[in-house]
Amino acid sequence: MRGLRTLQGRVFAVLFALSLVVVLAVTVAITSASFSSYESEAEELLLSQTSTCAHEIEGKSASEACRTLEEMPFVNTRCTLVAEDGTVLYDNFADPASMDNHSEREEIVTARESGRVTVMRRSQTLGSDTLYAAVQLDSGMILRLAETRASLASFLGSMSTQLAVSLFAIIVISFLVARLLTRMIVRPLREIDLKSEGEESIAGAYEELRPLLRRIDAQRRELEDKNAELERAVVQRREFTGNVSHEMKSPLQVISGYAELMENGMVAPEDVPRFANLIHRESDSMRALIDDVLVLSRLDERADETRDMVSLSQACQRVANRLEAAAQEKGIAIRLELDEEVIVLGSEPLVEQMVYNLVDNAIKYNQRGGVACVAVANLDGNAVLTVDDDGPGVPEDLRDRVFERFYRVDTSRTRADGESGGTGLGLAIVKHAAGTLGGMVSVEESPLGGARFKIVLPASQMDSN
Ligand code: ADP
């Protein structure tokens, strides 16, 4: 029964059965009520007929009474006159002499007790019932009238065709009604349109289903958003791969070009160190690019989600030490304002990389003799790192773009004296890392005149011991 597993099938079956039962019950109730009222009417009629006849023979002798009765025009009614001792005196259907004593008959006994009575004697076999009415006369004789009538079973039997027809009609009507109701109940379910947007899709739905539909709708949108995000990520990744290959090509071309010149003996011996230095620098920048690409792809894969307690102040101190030589080379002073112990949760190499990139930029994009100021503080429950410089700064309209991968501000202006520019990935790494650590990075104008890069991270409360 596959049909019963569907909502429609089940609703239909229940409604069909219900309407069948209801209609049948109503029909049976009406039929039996009308049959019993028909019977009691018949009883009354026969009793009053008996009383009228009794009235006719009241006060007459037995033989007179028999004569009077003989003259009465009974058709289907049996008329019997019984003497007080039960002897049958008269019967219009049989010879009284051949009839046995009636004193024990139910209707006779009861009539003797209560004067007048009706008794229905059901036949043992199907067919007919006999209705008796008996009235006792003043003389003690009892007048009895009897009528044979169709029993309920034979009454129904005689109507079997009509019964079959109406049963069939009941089934058909129940079927049609059940089908109509089922459609009405199921239609709002069928008409739910999950493709249309928001409230529109549940406008016609059942109240009870609305929370579910709203949830489905929300999940669908979530899924769409996720898909869009995934697609964006795929596009970004493809672009990134293209950019990486492009960025790798130029240093490789330089390297292989110079190497080829040297190989072919086209470089004067005194120029060899200069060419070797160029090759060295290009391979350095390639290595830097590869390092940055690796860091970024680790961040993309969320591989670096360690949650250690990392001292931001100590990370700044280590970065300052690492970059000391580079700063000195450009006559740049690194100032540290790390008067607090500021702790963040994350991976130490990542935190250090972030600080390194910012301080490195503050040196790289600064003019000779400038200053790079690194400050760390706890502010309103956040760990705040600021890296200031007094260089050219980042033009206001480019402040969002500098965090994009491979984005570099006009290199001729920012890149100091022939120094190779960065990979264009440094700030992208900073932004991504800050995000991974639950914070964010921004750039603004520094009070020193150059750029101020600020990272705000959720600070971890470490016991002060
Ligand atoms: P790169 O690896 O080339 O330094 P970044 O992503 O670190 O790339 O920086 C992107 C661009 O932002 C740089 O090309 C530079 O022009 C600009 N920039 C970064 N830091 C500074 C700074 N402190 N002062 C001025 N410009 C900066």
Side-chain angles (χ1 to χ4, degrees):
M1 285 292 271
R2 217 196 101 246
L4 277 182
R5 290 214 202 100
T6 66
L7 177 68
Q8 177 153 6
R10 239 173 234 217
V11 171
F12 175 77
V14 169
L15 288 178
F16 185 44
L18 204 68
S19 54
L20 260 188
V21 167
V22 169
V23 176
L24 280 178
V26 168
T27 311
V28 167
I30 289 176
T31 310
S32 68
S34 55
F35 188 79
S36 75
S37 91
Y38 157 76
E39 262 188 349
S40 64
E41 252 170 48
E43 277 171 19
E44 251 167 56
L45 194 69
L46 190 65
L47 191 59
S48 83
Q49 221 181 330
T50 315
S51 299
T52 314
C53 291
H55 190 69
E56 291 290 320
I57 58 170
E58 189 64 271
K60 295 186 175 172
S61 68
S63 52
E64 271 176 66
C66 289
R67 264 200 303 281
T68 311
L69 290 175
E70 252 167 44
E71 282 160 16
M72 285 189 185
F74 293 114
V75 184
N76 288 322
T77 311
R78 179 176 193 178
C79 174
T80 315
L81 185 63
V82 181
E84 205 174 358
D85 65 357
T87 320
V88 178
L89 301 171
Y90 171 80
D91 191 286
N92 63 344
F93 278 26
D95 177 13
S98 67
M99 292 169 72
D100 51 3
N101 190 290
H102 271 37
S103 59
E104 297 304 317
R105 296 291 175 94
E106 184 191 356
E107 66 276 11
I108 303 295
V109 172
T110 327
R112 249 189 232 123
E113 285 163 5
S114 54
R116 40 187 281 155
V117 71
T118 58
V119 168
M120 177 71 83
R121 212 169 287 150
R122 310 272 176 204
S123 69
Q124 297 309 94
T125 54
L126 286 185
S128 53
D129 297 337
T130 309
L131 177 62
Y132 296 94
V135 171
Q136 188 173 40
L137 304 176
D138 290 345
S139 59
M141 291 188 293
I142 289 167
L143 177 68
R144 183 185 78 173
L145 296 192
E147 256 176 17
T148 304
R149 307 152 24 89
S151 67
L152 178 60
S154 72
F155 171 72
L156 292 179
S158 70
M159 294 193 354
S160 59
T161 329
Q162 288 101 309
L163 278 179
V165 169
S166 35
L167 193 68
F168 181 73
I170 287 171
I171 292 176
V172 170
I173 290 172
S174 303
F175 180 87
L176 293 177
V177 168
R179 201 168 65 165
L180 187 76
L181 290 177
T182 305
R183 287 202 181 152
M184 273 167 59
I185 292 172
V186 174
R187 192 189 306 128
L189 295 174
R190 286 197 186 283
E191 282 175 358
I192 291 171
D193 178 12
L194 286 176
K195 283 200 204 82
S196 55
E197 282 293 314
E199 289 295 310
E200 202 184 294
S201 68
I202 60 173
Y206 286 118
E207 194 63 47
E208 293 87 336
L209 281 181
R210 291 187 182 187
L212 174 70
L213 292 175
R214 283 202 189 96
R215 257 224 327 270
I216 293 177
D217 191 53
Q219 279 175 354
R220 178 179 58 87
R221 260 183 273 176
E222 221 169 84
L223 207 68
E224 277 172 6
D225 289 351
K226 269 199 190 123
N227 277 345
E229 206 175 290
L230 272 177
E231 270 168 38
R232 255 200 315 278
V234 168
V235 171
Q236 260 177 18
R237 192 148 266 262
R238 203 175 297 141
E239 262 176 27
F240 183 58
T241 315
N243 282 333
V244 170
S245 337
H246 178 77
E247 294 285 331
M248 295 243 179
K249 261 187 200 147
S250 39
L252 264 181
Q253 266 163 4
V254 174
I255 290 168
S256 83
Y258 289 147
E260 201 180 336
L261 287 179
M262 284 157 74
E263 191 183 26
N264 296 339
M266 290 168 82
V267 176
E270 63 271 26
D271 286 338
V272 168
R274 195 164 60 83
F275 278 64
N277 178 256
L278 285 173
I279 289 174
H280 190 180
R281 262 180 45 184
E282 290 302 329
S283 23
D284 273 354
S285 78
M286 255 186 83
R287 206 187 46 220
L289 177 65
I290 290 167
D291 285 347
D292 281 355
V293 167
L294 286 178
V295 171
L296 261 180
S297 59
R298 259 218 311 282
L299 281 171
D300 281 344
E301 283 159 20
R302 303 179 165 279
D304 217 348
E305 289 196 329
T306 327
R307 284 277 175 275
D308 291 333
M309 299 248 205
V310 181
S311 160
L312 193 55
S313 323
Q314 283 172 23
C316 290
Q317 185 64 63
R318 284 195 300 273
V319 168
N321 295 344
R322 280 166 64 192
L323 284 168
E324 189 55 45
Q328 258 172 19
E329 212 176 281
K330 266 186 89 169
I332 287 172
I334 300 181
R335 276 216 307 264
L336 296 176
E337 292 172 12
L338 316 172
D339 41 18
E340 285 178 75
E341 182 70 332
V342 180
I343 304 295
V344 294
L345 281 184
S347 113
E348 195 170 87
L350 193 62
V351 172
E352 194 167 321
Q353 169 98 59
M354 210 169 59
V355 180
Y356 183 95
N357 288 4
L358 290 182
V359 181
D360 184 43
N361 281 355
I363 296 167
K364 218 160 51 179
Y365 300 110
N366 207 339
Q367 64 266 34
R368 297 208 138 266
V371 64
C373 180
V374 184
V376 163
N378 267 318
L379 271 182
D380 306 328
N382 288 318
V384 180
L385 164 78
T386 48
V387 179
D388 288 281
D389 66 59
D390 54 354
V394 179
E396 201 170 343
D397 53 329
L398 301 179
R399 284 182 188 163
D400 280 334
R401 302 214 59 195
V402 288
F403 295 104
E404 288 172 17
R405 297 178 178 192
F406 293 114
Y407 185 80
R408 298 182 186 95
V409 181
D410 177 14
T411 40
S412 61
R413 193 170 67 83
T414 45
R415 206 185 295 171
D417 41 273
E419 203 183 300
S420 77
T423 58
L425 293 176
L427 288 179
I429 290 174
V430 172
K431 183 176 175 185
H432 209 328
T436 304
L437 298 171
M440 51 194 295
V441 61
S442 60
V443 58
E444 59 198 70
E445 193 181 325
S446 164
L448 302 181
R452 160 174 283 184
F453 283 88
K454 182 153 97 183
I455 294 178
V456 181
L457 301 173
S460 161
Q461 250 46 59
M462 194 176 75
D463 303 331
S464 44
N465 53 22

